[in-house]
Amino acid sequence: MCGIVAYIGDKKALPRLIEGLRRLEYRGYDSAGVALVDPNSDRLWVHKTVGRVEELAKGVSEGPETTIGIAHTRWATHGGVTQPNAHPHLDTENRIAVIHNGIIENFNELRASLEASGVVFRSETDTEVLPHLIRKYYQGDPLQAVIRAIQDIRGTYGIAVLFRDHPDRVIAARNGSPLAIGLGDGETVLGSDPQAIVAHTRRVVYLDDREIAVLTRDGAQVQRLDGVRVDQQVEIIDGDYTLAEKTGFAHFMLKEIMEQPESIRRCLGGRVMTDDGNAKLGGLNMSPRELVGVKRVVNIGCGTSFHAGMVGAMAIESLARVPARAEIASEFRYNNPIVDPEGVFLAISQSGETADTLGAIEEVQLKGGQTLGVVNVVGSTIARTCGQGVYVHSGPEIAVASTKAFTSQIAALMTFTLMLARTRNLSLEEGKAMARALADIPNKVAEYLQDPGPIMAAVEAVKGARYVLFLGRGFSYPVALEGALKLKEVAYVACEGYPAGEMKHGPIAMMEKGTPVIFLIPADSQREKAISNMKEVQARGAKLIVVHNRGDQEIASMADISIPVPEVPYYLTPFLTVLPLQLLAYQVGLALGRDIDKPRTLAKSVTVE
Ligand code: AGP
C-alpha cells in the first residue's frame, strides 16, 4: 500500500526519492508523485502521475536541482486513481505539500468547513484537508502548524510535510501508519518502511504513535504532540533488504513458490533439534515453566496469515493439547474479545504492517494479554509492538500473493507447537519423530516441486469455470481456504473454500456437470470421510481434481485429475497440499492474462483498516 519517502541532505534529492519509491514498489500502488523545494521559485515543484514509478521518473527529468523533497506512492482509498488524487497534495498557494498514508475519518466535515471558508479543493482525497489545515494554522512556525492541524483530524496517518518557506526541514508525524527516520552522514531520510532507507543508512529511529519529528540535514528532533521531548532510540536495521530480483523467473510469484524448500529450511534452521526431539526459538524468552503455564493460544492474522494461524491452532490443540484457535484480526479487534492473561496471542503477519493485525494486538495488550509476533519483515511495526516473537525468515516476499510466507509461518508455528507439546504430554520419542519429520519438510517440498503433476490439465478445467470449489477436512480445510484465496486474488476466478463435510449443507447446490472441485485428501484420519464427500460431488457431475498422497491408488483412480504429493505426517500435510494450489492459481492467472505480481485486488502491505 501507500509508500512515503522524504530526503533532506547534501546530495540531489530527486534521484534518491525516485530510488526510494522504487524500493517501495513491492507494497502495491496505483499512482506516484514528488514535491521538491525549487530554489528558483517561490512555489513548490510538484510532479504526479498515474501508474508506475518508472513513468514518474521519466516525467521528472526537468526537475529542479535541490537537496530536499518528499515522494509518495498511492494506493487509492478515497477518490479514484487519477493524477489530481495522487500525492503530494498542496495548499492553495502551492507552498505547503503533504504526503499521507492512512485514512482521515472526519475528512468530510473538515472539507465542508474549509470549503465554507473559501478553500477550493483540487482532489477527492481525504488527505487534501491536511495542507489546507496546515496553511490555516501557519503563522511562521511549521511544527506548530502541523501539530495544530493534526489536532483537528481523526484517523490514522503517517505524514511528511514540506514547506517552501523552510527549505531546511521536513516535518513527519505518525499515528497508526509506520514511519522510520534514517540517520545518515549529512543526510536524513524518512521512509514508511526501512526498505526506503537502507540504501543510505542502517541507523534508524522509529516514530511511535502521536509523535512528531523535525528532520534536518543533521538528524531529527522527536517530540510528542503534547510537546514533551522524546529520547530517541537509535536502532540498527537488521535483515536482508537487497532488492529482490526475479532471477530468471517470469514472475516473483513463481520464483517465491519455487523458493519454498530454502525458505522453510531457513525458518527451521537452528531451531528444530532432532536429537533432543525439541525446538528452541531464540526470539521467545519463555522457559519450560512459562510454557507449561500457557493456558490457551490465539492466532491472529488476516488473509493467508490467518489461514496459517488456523493450521497452527489445529497443531497446537491436537499435539500440545492446549486450547487454541485462530481469529481474523479485523473481527477480533472490534468484538470486545475476552483476553485470558494466562494465554498467548500470536500476531501472524508477513509484512508486520497490517493495520487490522496491529489493531488486534494493541487491543490484546490493552487488556493485559501477552502478544508474540510471528512476522517476516524484521523491525516491522507488529514485530516491535509485540516485543518478542519469531521471525519466519522467508526472505523478502515481493509478489502480492503470499506463498512462501505461508509455509514459513506454518514452519514457525509447528516449531512453537513442538516446544509447547514437549513441555506437556509429547514424549521424547514422539518429539524426535516430529522434529525429524519437520526437518525433512524442505526435502519433501523440493521433491514435489521437481515433479508437480498434471497442473496444466487442472488449469484447463478451471480457467473457463463459472465457479470452483476447494474442499478439505481437518488440516486440509485451511489449505482449501488458502487455495481459493490464491485463485481469486491472482486469477479473479469465482471460487470458495469449504470444509468438505459442510459442503452438503449448501454449496452442493452449486454443482453442475463439469464444475471443478479441488479436493485435498492426504492420508489422515479423515480420509474415509473425505472419500464419501468426494462421491457426493462426483454423483452430481463435478470434475474432480484431487490432491492426495503419492501411492494412494484408490483415490487416484476416482479422480478426473489426480495430483500426488509426497507423504508426510497428517499435521504437516499443509506444507505439501498447498503447493499445487499455489501453482494452479499462478498458471490460471497466466492463462487468463492477469498481471500476476500486481493483481488488482490487494496491496502487498495493507496498512489501512
Ligand atoms: C495473500 O495472498 C494476501 N496478499 C493477503 O491475504 C495477506 O496475506 C494479508 O493481507 C495479510 O498480510 P500480512 O501477512 O502482511 O499481515
Side-chain angles (χ1 to χ4, degrees):
M1 253 175 185
C2 307
I4 283 178
V5 195
Y7 179 88
I8 176 166
D10 51 7
K11 305 188 183 71
K12 284 186 192 166
L14 192 50
R16 285 161 182 85
L17 291 168
I18 297 291
E19 177 55 19
L21 291 185
R22 281 202 183 101
R23 287 180 156 268
L24 296 179
E25 278 195 298
Y26 78 96
R27 295 163 69 101
Y29 67 101
D30 46 51
S31 49
V34 59
L36 302 167
V37 172
D38 180 351
N40 301 314
S41 166
D42 61 358
R43 291 167 167 237
L44 292 168
W45 187 92
V46 174
H47 189 84
K48 311 200 265 193
T49 184
V50 167
R52 320 302 303 165
V53 171
E54 226 31 71
E55 292 306 308
L56 182 75
K58 281 183 206 150
V60 295
S61 49
E62 304 294 301
E65 280 227 358
T66 177
T67 56
I68 173 169
I70 59 178
H72 190 263
T73 44
R74 172 176 188 251
W75 190 83
T77 55
H78 291 59
V81 181
T82 63
Q83 199 253 10
N85 286 342
H87 300 208
H89 291 287
L90 296 160
D91 71 318
T92 48
E93 295 171 22
N94 291 9
R95 296 168 71 84
I96 299 171
V98 177
I99 51 179
H100 166 226
N101 288 359
I103 290 179
I104 298 171
E105 288 163 5
N106 59 337
F107 88 100
N108 265 331
E109 60 199 70
L110 291 170
R111 182 174 177 135
S113 116
L114 286 160
E115 281 176 335
S117 69
V119 172
V120 177
F121 276 71
R122 292 181 265 197
S123 78
E124 306 156 304
T125 63
D126 54 335
T127 301
E128 200 190 334
V129 298
L130 270 169
H132 298 307
L133 283 173
I134 295 168
R135 157 65 51 206
K136 178 175 151 188
Y137 294 120
Y138 178 64
Q139 289 178 339
D141 183 339
L143 177 64
Q144 288 314 314
V146 176
I147 291 176
R148 188 59 197 85
I150 283 173
Q151 284 163 352
D152 282 358
I153 64 173
R154 241 186 5 255
T156 53
Y157 55 82
I159 56 170
V161 190
L162 189 65
F163 289 78
R164 173 61 193 89
D165 295 347
H166 300 274
D168 57 349
R169 72 196 78 173
V170 172
I171 312 284
R174 164 194 168 142
N175 186 41
S177 288
L179 284 179
I181 303 167
L183 304 172
D185 196 8
E187 57 184 6
T188 306
V189 191
L190 180 77
S192 48
D193 114 19
Q195 188 65 260
I197 293 173
V198 285
H200 303 268
T201 177
R202 292 235 162 200
R203 296 180 68 237
V204 74
V205 172
Y206 293 101
L207 280 190
D208 280 331
D209 283 349
R210 314 290 294 163
E211 287 182 354
I212 187 163
V214 180
L215 280 61
T216 64
R217 290 175 173 84
D218 303 321
Q221 294 277 4
V222 184
Q223 65 170 69
R224 294 200 325 234
L225 287 181
D226 60 11
V228 176
R229 186 64 67 80
V230 172
D231 267 347
Q232 293 170 31
Q233 304 287 334
V234 179
E235 296 178 35
I236 304 300
I237 302 174
D238 204 4
D240 177 13
Y241 285 93
T242 43
L243 265 191
E245 305 279 348
K246 288 187 198 149
T247 57
F249 288 97
H251 298 96
F252 278 112
M253 182 178 176
L254 182 60
K255 174 185 178 243
E256 289 161 6
I257 291 172
M258 301 308 284
E259 266 173 16
Q260 287 176 102
E262 298 125 63
S263 53
I264 300 170
R265 194 169 281 123
R266 250 195 323 268
C267 180
L268 298 173
R271 291 172 165 173
V272 174
M273 302 177 298
T274 46
D275 290 345
D276 299 348
N278 207 340
K280 64 169 188 298
L281 289 166
L284 215 64
N285 297 320
M286 289 179 89
S287 65
R289 181 174 282 273
E290 284 167 321
L291 285 169
V292 169
V294 172
K295 293 287 179 286
R296 67 189 65 251
V297 178
V298 183
N299 293 339
I300 303 172
C302 301
T304 293
S305 297
F306 167 67
H307 298 153
M310 288 177 75
V311 173
M314 280 182 199
I316 289 166
E317 193 152 306
S318 63
L319 298 165
R321 306 305 293 157
V322 177
R325 65 180 206 273
E327 292 276 356
I328 293 173
S330 56
E331 288 295 313
F332 180 83
R333 64 185 291 197
Y334 290 117
N335 288 343
N336 196 14
I338 295 174
V339 171
D340 182 348
E342 293 180 312
V344 293
F345 295 78
L346 302 184
I348 305 170
S349 174
Q350 188 285 129
S351 62
E353 303 295 350
T354 300
D356 284 316
T357 309
L358 182 60
I361 57 164
E362 284 171 347
E363 183 68 15
V364 171
Q365 290 179 340
L366 183 83
K367 293 185 157 152
Q370 187 183 5
T371 53
L372 305 176
V374 179
V375 173
N376 189 34
V377 177
V378 177
S380 55
T381 307
I382 291 175
R384 289 183 302 108
T385 305
C386 286
Q388 60 168 321
V390 185
Y391 282 118
V392 304
H393 296 313
S394 62
E397 193 181 64
I398 305 299
V400 169
S402 188
T403 54
K404 63 176 180 171
F406 178 73
T407 44
S408 292
Q409 286 164 343
I410 297 178
L413 291 167
M414 289 295 169
T415 309
F416 180 61
T417 303
L418 176 55
M419 281 170 69
L420 210 54
R422 283 291 285 121
T423 62
R424 294 155 198 260
N425 59 351
L426 200 75
S427 70
L428 175 61
E429 284 315 308
E430 289 166 332
K432 281 184 181 176
M434 181 171 176
R436 276 198 298 268
L438 198 48
D440 196 34
I441 284 294
N443 301 331
K444 298 283 186 189
V445 168
E447 185 187 327
Y448 169 76
L449 290 172
Q450 271 157 23
D451 176 16
I455 298 293
M456 295 317 287
V459 172
E460 284 308 306
V462 165
K463 73 176 189 206
R466 284 201 304 136
Y467 170 78
V468 181
L469 186 59
F470 290 76
L471 295 174
R473 298 180 77 111
F475 278 86
S476 295
Y477 165 45
V479 182
L481 295 181
E482 175 60 10
L485 173 60
K486 286 289 96 88
L487 189 64
K488 275 180 254 197
E489 188 182 27
V490 177
Y492 324 149
V493 172
C495 61
E496 62 186 329
Y498 235 78
E502 184 70 6
M503 180 260 319
K504 55 188 170 299
H505 298 286
I508 198 160
M510 299 294 289
M511 292 303 108
E512 293 172 349
K513 193 163 168 32
T515 302
V517 175
I518 296 161
F519 232 120
L520 310 175
I521 318 189
D524 57 21
S525 61
Q526 311 242 27
R527 178 177 172 279
E528 301 309 317
K529 298 219 177 306
I531 290 177
S532 307
N533 300 142
M534 201 160 111
K535 294 209 156 114
E536 286 158 8
V537 290
Q538 204 163 35
R540 283 156 183 84
K543 191 167 181 95
L544 273 176
I545 301 162
V546 187
V547 178
H548 60 84
N549 275 3
R550 203 160 267 168
D552 191 336
Q553 288 312 329
E554 185 189 359
I555 289 187
S557 66
M558 286 162 60
D560 294 299
I561 298 169
S562 130
I563 304 180
V565 296
E567 186 169 351
V568 291
Y570 74 96
Y571 52 88
L572 300 180
T573 53
F575 284 109
L576 277 302
T577 51
V578 78
L579 302 173
L581 309 193
Q582 295 172 342
L583 288 170
L584 178 71
Y586 173 76
Q587 292 294 353
V588 174
L590 214 55
L592 295 175
R594 311 304 191 212
D595 186 350
I596 302 285
D597 284 336
K598 303 258 180 278
R600 67 187 178 203
T601 43
L602 264 182
K604 182 67 188 156
S605 172
V606 185
T607 50
V608 295
E609 291 184 41

